[in-house]
Amino acid sequence: MRASLASSIAVTCAAVLALPVSLTVPAAASAPPAAALALPPAPELPGSTQSLPLEPLGAANRALGGAAGSGEQGLGRRDVRPFSLVGVVWNDPKVPLHGTVQVRTRAAGGGAWSEWQDVETHNEEHGADPGTAEGSARALRGSTAPLWVGDSDGVEIRVRGEERLPAGLRLELVDPGEAPAAAPERTAPEETGPERTAPERTAPERTAPEETGPQPRSAMAPAALAGMSDAEVEASAVNAELAPYGATWIPALSKEETEREVRNMPQSQAVRAAQAAAAAKPYIGPQPKIITRKGWGADESIREKGFVYTKTIKAAFVHHSATGNNYTCKQAPSVLRSIYRYHVKSSGWRDFGYNFAVDKCGNIYEGRAGGVAKPVMGAHTLGFNTNSMGIAVLGTFTKSTPPAAVVTAVARLTAWKLGLHGVNPKGTSYLVSGGGNLFKKGTTVRFNAIAGHRDGFATECPGGRLYSKLGTARTSSAQFQGRP
């Protein structure tokens, strides 16, 4: 499968890794070189959000027959600035929206109006764990799942409450903007096939902090940093063991190359004995190709600075984004930029919620910043974000069957990332609940190493059709690791 991305690169079918490794963050240089200080400023990335307060609907506009006292709010048809993704937010994240949200949109340029489309209202099961800094942030808002509608310039919305509606309902209209063109000197070299070797890299010595602040520009060649903001350098530096600074993708490696890369990666002293023990029979699969945040056009200026890590990765939770299936793989970077902006600007999260994303063509994308090989703390499975990773498949799979490329991509990605921490994809792992509607805080729960979101929270996610494919993903993932 191919996806036309900013760099028009195909996803290489590669996968998986099995040695427990603690990867570390590049240390900041003591002072930026004079040449770096003189670099031109990074261009401002496009994208915007329109936030429109909802209004009580009059009798003439009521179309859903709401219960007495429940209330109905919405907006009549209106012209708006261009947008591609919609969602609804409200003031208190602890108050759920029990009801129905429907929108219809007009295609940009005077096109036809769509039929009414349902917006998934049950979104509280996503997000940071209770009691964490992100989970208790004052900027948090309640929110529906976002819905991708494509290029539009007109909107109508109606919200019916089965109970009293939350206060402060607002319609969020997100324009992802156009992805900036990648600078030639910062993109990775053209691929020559799955057995290619990774480009040589000269990264500085690294330490292993639990959490890092913003990194100043390092003593790299000015050409490698030209036009990059400090936040972009920071987001790229944590992948420096895998790809050059500013790369738009991390290359796929063969199994042998992956094993060699792992042996050469900086490690904490705590894992050296475990690595030596596993060296006799390492369950390492090929590193998959991953489109970086730079590759899908993430605006690094809107997320919170620095990164937050958990200790290890014991399980992978698979989600669907519930954004609908009406996108092309060429549009997937735009979908990601829209979800990212909705998570940060509309919902109040520190960054994109998921650690990785997979589109319908099987392309794998870096999600939350902090390093694809590192145990980055996500906001994906409420109560179980610690010591886990979250993978969002772009689309809605309640009634639609995911393409085979999706299942294969999930298998390859999990085989590699779980393998970094010595986890058997067909095995089970124990996680401690941070609080949720299935398991009380402090409860130790056994999960499949590749689990669905619904295993940790009472939710439809990742949709019945995708959930039914997780057994296949587990088997394939273990095979990619070379397990019997």
Side-chain angles (χ1 to χ4, degrees), residues 248-381:
T248 55
W249 83 90
I250 293 167
L253 301 179
S254 69
K255 191 175 190 300
E256 293 74 16
E257 289 168 340
T258 301
E259 292 174 8
R260 186 165 58 249
E261 284 279 316
V262 171
R263 286 193 295 268
N264 294 333
M265 283 177 182
Q267 303 146 28
S268 68
Q269 192 172 14
V271 301
R272 288 174 184 163
Q275 180 177 8
K281 180 60 177 178
Y283 291 114
I284 305 176
Q287 173 182 291
K289 176 182 168 185
I290 302 172
I291 310 300
T292 65
R293 290 169 64 91
K294 182 74 173 178
W296 54 264
D299 182 350
E300 301 295 350
S301 69
I302 69 173
R303 63 171 172 84
E304 288 189 20
K305 295 180 181 180
F307 313 116
V308 179
Y309 297 97
T310 187
K311 292 182 179 179
T312 187
I313 301 296
K314 295 182 178 180
F317 287 101
V318 178
H319 305 252
H320 66 175
S321 63
T323 47
N325 302 318
N326 295 322
Y327 73 94
T328 65
C329 293
K330 182 178 180 180
Q331 293 174 318
S334 294
V335 176
L336 288 170
R337 292 195 303 277
S338 298
I339 297 173
Y340 172 44
R341 179 169 284 271
Y342 184 75
H343 282 177
V344 175
K345 290 294 190 180
S346 299
S347 302
W349 299 359
R350 64 173 286 118
D351 193 356
F352 189 82
Y354 308 101
N355 298 103
F356 297 93
V358 174
D359 70 22
K360 64 173 69 175
C361 292
N363 298 302
I364 301 171
Y365 301 86
E366 178 183 15
R368 177 162 290 206
V372 296
K374 306 181 194 304
V376 178
M377 175 79 82
H380 48 82
T381 306

Side-chain angles (χ1 to χ4, degrees), residues 145-442:
L147 177 68
W148 175 261
V149 294
D151 295 339
S152 305
D153 58 12
V155 68
E156 182 177 8
I157 181 171
R158 57 193 188 186
V159 180
R160 167 203 169 189
E162 297 171 355
E163 300 175 0
R164 185 178 297 277
L165 291 172
L169 289 172
R170 303 182 71 89
L171 172 64
E172 303 288 289
L173 305 175
V174 182
D175 173 20
E178 296 295 329
E185 67 270 22
R186 296 199 305 276
T187 56
E190 182 178 357
E191 284 192 82
T192 57
E195 297 299 315
R196 62 177 296 280
T197 58
E200 184 177 356
R201 297 175 289 278
T202 56
E205 291 187 5
R206 300 163 177 86
T207 57
E210 279 294 305
E211 185 170 350
T212 67
Q215 306 286 338
R217 296 169 187 253
S218 60
M220 297 283 292
L225 297 173
M228 292 177 68
S229 68
D230 286 340
E232 288 176 317
V233 172
E234 175 191 39
S236 183
V238 287
N239 289 319
E241 296 93 350
L242 306 177
Y245 277 67
T248 55
W249 83 90
I250 293 167
L253 301 179
S254 69
K255 191 175 190 300
E256 293 74 16
E257 289 168 340
T258 301
E259 292 174 8
R260 186 165 58 249
E261 284 279 316
V262 171
R263 286 193 295 268
N264 294 333
M265 283 177 182
Q267 303 146 28
S268 68
Q269 192 172 14
V271 301
R272 288 174 184 163
Q275 180 177 8
K281 180 60 177 178
Y283 291 114
I284 305 176
Q287 173 182 291
K289 176 182 168 185
I290 302 172
I291 310 300
T292 65
R293 290 169 64 91
K294 182 74 173 178
W296 54 264
D299 182 350
E300 301 295 350
S301 69
I302 69 173
R303 63 171 172 84
E304 288 189 20
K305 295 180 181 180
F307 313 116
V308 179
Y309 297 97
T310 187
K311 292 182 179 179
T312 187
I313 301 296
K314 295 182 178 180
F317 287 101
V318 178
H319 305 252
H320 66 175
S321 63
T323 47
N325 302 318
N326 295 322
Y327 73 94
T328 65
C329 293
K330 182 178 180 180
Q331 293 174 318
S334 294
V335 176
L336 288 170
R337 292 195 303 277
S338 298
I339 297 173
Y340 172 44
R341 179 169 284 271
Y342 184 75
H343 282 177
V344 175
K345 290 294 190 180
S346 299
S347 302
W349 299 359
R350 64 173 286 118
D351 193 356
F352 189 82
Y354 308 101
N355 298 103
F356 297 93
V358 174
D359 70 22
K360 64 173 69 175
C361 292
N363 298 302
I364 301 171
Y365 301 86
E366 178 183 15
R368 177 162 290 206
V372 296
K374 306 181 194 304
V376 178
M377 175 79 82
H380 48 82
T381 306
L382 187 70
F384 293 103
N385 291 304
T386 299
N387 295 335
S388 72
M389 59 182 276
I391 305 168
V393 179
L394 299 182
T396 303
F397 299 101
T398 305
K399 298 180 181 179
S400 299
T401 300
V406 164
V407 181
T408 300
V410 169
R412 288 175 173 145
L413 174 59
T414 53
W416 173 69
K417 186 62 182 279
L418 292 177
L420 283 172
H421 299 274
V423 177
N424 183 346
K426 291 197 298 183
T428 58
S429 298
Y430 289 89
L431 299 175
V432 178
S433 174
N437 65 1
L438 277 184
F439 303 102
K440 294 181 180 179
K441 184 175 181 178

Side-chain angles (χ1 to χ4, degrees), residues 19-152:
L19 292 179
V21 175
S22 175
L23 299 177
T24 54
V25 181
S30 58
L37 293 174
L39 292 173
E44 183 176 350
L45 295 179
S48 62
T49 302
Q50 302 170 69
S51 186
L52 308 177
L54 300 191
E55 304 167 351
L57 289 177
N61 292 327
R62 291 176 184 163
L64 295 179
S70 63
E72 292 183 33
Q73 295 185 30
L75 295 172
R77 288 191 181 188
R78 61 188 58 207
D79 297 335
V80 292
R81 297 193 305 274
F83 68 97
S84 296
L85 179 141
V86 304
V88 173
V89 300
W90 54 92
N91 296 342
D92 190 346
K94 297 179 181 178
V95 176
L97 194 165
H98 293 296
T100 304
V101 177
Q102 292 184 312
V103 298
R104 54 183 172 188
T105 57
R106 184 184 62 204
W113 283 85
S114 71
E115 299 296 325
W116 286 106
Q117 301 183 73
D118 292 324
V119 177
E120 176 58 62
T121 60
H122 300 291
N123 197 45
E124 69 273 11
E125 64 268 22
H126 300 86
D129 288 348
T132 62
E134 183 177 5
S136 56
R138 294 180 62 183
L140 290 179
R141 302 177 187 89
S143 61
T144 67
L147 177 68
W148 175 261
V149 294
D151 295 339
S152 305

